[in-house]
Amino acid sequence: MPSLLHLDSSLRTSGSRSRRLSADYVDAWRAANPDGTVRYRDLAADPVPHMDEGVYVAHVTLPGDLTDEQREQRALGEELAHEVLAADVIVLGAGLYNFTAPSTVRTWIDRILVRGITVGADGTGALGGKTLVLALASGGGYGPGTPRHGWDHREPWIRHVFEYLGLTDVVVASAELTLARESPAMVPLDLGHAEDQSLAAAQELLVAHAATV
Ligand SMILES: Cc1cc2nc3c(=O)[nH]c(=O)nc-3n(C[C@H](O)[C@H](O)[C@H](O)COP(=O)(O)O)c2cc1C
């Protein structure tokens, strides 16, 4: 039975483009996989706490060497890592916050690297064969030719983390210029039409991909 893990991280509870895109993907995936299962986690509403030293050490210790205290310290990490491991498709909705991913995505990623589950004893990642779908939104535009091309550190960072974990099949759909109608600096640029086009193109890409997996 196919399985999908759906994650959102926008701090917005209304008007979020990344939430809309991730939901569009999941709806299309459900239609294509009526027997599939979906697990949902909202990283903004239910944030994963930062690690401390004990939690980190427990995460990098092999299961056979764990103390009882360390087993407790990595219980949340094990739960999150198993969710990822159980999924064929991982859909992550994320805005661009100060040129990178929301910090809630960062704390989640810190916890899903668990020795003996997602990272083998020899350091090999266990997520090969899975697909990662990034449903992204950004207030500005970061494509080739724009003044801030290369300033979006979110997508390359997420790609690198998942490549380290063995996952290389990454699909990216990005709604850009989402502040075109809201930001005083952007309103005079009259980019509302481009914002709509970007959102529509991202939705089209996601719905088409969901029908194929
Ligand atoms: C804390 C914070 C920081 C942001 N930093 C950036 C930024 O660096 N670049 C940018 O283009 N937009 C930035 N934005 C705007 C968001 O990327 C934009 O509103 C996006 O649509 C958020 O995703 P959402 O629509 O799913 O909420 C920021 C928004 C917030 C709340």
Side-chain angles (χ1 to χ4, degrees), residues 8-21 93-100 102 135-142 148 151-152 154 175-179 182 186 195:
D8 277 323
S9 61
S10 171
L11 57 75
R12 296 203 283 183
T13 52
S14 69
S16 160
R17 311 304 199 285
S18 64
R19 286 182 185 274
R20 180 162 163 188
L21 289 176
L96 185 70
Y97 290 177
N98 296 311
F99 311 108
T100 187
L136 305 179
S138 57
Y142 295 85
R148 290 186 177 158
W151 286 43
D152 177 349
R154 166 191 52 178
E176 293 199 310
L177 305 168
T178 66
L179 292 177
E182 300 163 37
M186 289 175 70
E195 174 191 354

Side-chain angles (χ1 to χ4, degrees), residues 84-206:
V84 174
L85 209 55
D88 302 301
V89 182
I90 301 146
V91 184
L92 173 61
L96 185 70
Y97 290 177
N98 296 311
F99 311 108
T100 187
S103 58
T104 50
V105 174
R106 175 59 198 260
T107 55
W108 173 75
I109 282 184
D110 282 346
R111 294 260 179 170
I112 64 167
L113 275 76
V114 185
R115 201 104 187 268
I117 300 178
T118 47
V119 183
D122 62 353
T124 308
L127 303 189
K130 301 182 187 302
T131 299
L132 174 66
V133 177
L134 298 178
L136 305 179
S138 57
Y142 295 85
T146 62
R148 290 186 177 158
H149 179 52
W151 286 43
D152 177 349
H153 300 283
R154 166 191 52 178
E155 184 192 325
W157 168 64
I158 294 173
R159 277 182 185 275
H160 286 151
V161 172
F162 278 88
E163 189 173 327
Y164 174 70
L165 290 172
L167 187 160
T168 52
D169 184 20
V170 183
V171 178
V172 181
S174 184
E176 293 199 310
L177 305 168
T178 66
L179 292 177
R181 293 184 176 92
E182 300 163 37
S183 163
M186 289 175 70
V187 169
L189 300 174
D190 195 20
L191 292 169
H193 184 58
E195 174 191 354
D196 296 340
Q197 280 184 334
S198 179
L199 177 64
Q203 286 174 310
E204 196 178 327
L205 188 154
L206 289 174

